[in-house]
Amino acid sequence: MTIQQNLSEIKNKIKATLEIAGDNAGCGNLIAVSKTRSATEIIGALETGHRLFGENRVKEAASKWPELRAQFPDIELHLIGPLQSNKAAEAVALFDVIETIDRPKIAGAIAKEMKAQGKELKLFVQVNVGEEPQKAGVAPDDLKAFLKQCREEFGLTISGLMCIPPVDEEPSPYFVLLKHLAKENEIAEVSMGMSADYETALEFGADYVRVGTAIFGPRKA
Ligand SMILES: *Cc1c(COP(=O)(O)O)cnc(C)c1O
């Protein structure tokens, strides 16, 4: 299967799943996760008309996307990996959406950089839905206070929540939890679901699914 065929098949599956989800359906936007992929592979996806992409490293994104964006100006690029505050300036310059705000230091650095660069990004908070010690994200119990701090201390508008459920566990309860947390905190959008579970995530109301392997094939790196 080519990248083009994979994209088209996944888009058909998304459409069908959104119909089944009915009233539970979210927007179901497909983020093509292009980490470790070459510019040539990414252009294969861009040439089908796809414009929504995700990268998880600032440095890697900086090496590929400025050139791609010059060719395809209507790209929407999401940062879906952890962010260090010393990379905030570069991240604000490169990305349209940052999905991984998860601590005051990052929230403050992003707020400062958006002001300095006169650029408004769409921002999501990452939630550690499985409360895994090794995983990034705000604990569900701390979310309300963190959102308040983002708003009141840093003047940030948070428009979405993002999660990566524990591997090798049934993801549905975590998708339900993220959706519940969004509703409870009046957050409009949720980003959840990857290659293995994006259809499940769509059934539970995903507005963004993040799919890499199912589009581009297995990652070598
Ligand atoms: C790599 C990655 C994905 C995509 O994973 P696949 O299993 O290849 O679809 C999604 N979300 C995040 C945060 C990632 O780092």
Side-chain angles (χ1 to χ4, degrees), residues 33 35 56 80 162 164 194-196 210-214 219:
V33 177
K35 65 187 186 204
N56 75 335
I80 61 170
M162 176 272 214
I164 309 170
M194 314 187 357
S195 289
R210 309 177 308 266
V211 178
T213 315
R219 273 183 297 274

Side-chain angles (χ1 to χ4, degrees), residues 31-35 37 55-56 79-82 99-100 126 162-164 191 193-198 209-215 217-219:
I31 301 176
V33 177
S34 51
K35 65 187 186 204
R37 312 299 174 170
E55 288 280 346
N56 75 335
L79 177 62
I80 61 170
E99 296 200 6
T100 50
Q126 181 172 354
M162 176 272 214
C163 76
I164 309 170
S191 169
M194 314 187 357
S195 289
D197 55 16
Y198 72 90
V209 290
R210 309 177 308 266
V211 178
T213 315
I215 297 173
R219 273 183 297 274

Side-chain angles (χ1 to χ4, degrees), residues 33-111:
V33 177
S34 51
K35 65 187 186 204
T36 79
R37 312 299 174 170
S38 68
T40 311
E41 289 173 286
I42 297 170
I43 287 170
L46 283 162
E47 281 176 346
T48 70
H50 194 81
R51 292 293 180 268
L52 179 54
F53 291 85
E55 288 280 346
N56 75 335
R57 289 206 174 86
V58 175
K59 202 172 163 204
E60 184 186 343
S63 75
K64 295 188 292 196
W65 286 96
E67 253 175 83
L68 292 169
R69 211 191 270 278
Q71 276 177 268
F72 301 91
D74 53 343
I75 279 164
E76 181 177 310
L77 190 60
H78 289 224
L79 177 62
I80 61 170
L83 179 59
Q84 257 80 57
S85 54
N86 63 0
K87 296 260 172 63
E90 213 176 358
V92 167
L94 277 168
F95 290 92
D96 304 290
V97 181
I98 295 178
E99 296 200 6
T100 50
I101 306 288
D102 68 351
R103 52 196 191 276
K105 197 172 175 196
I106 289 297
I110 293 297

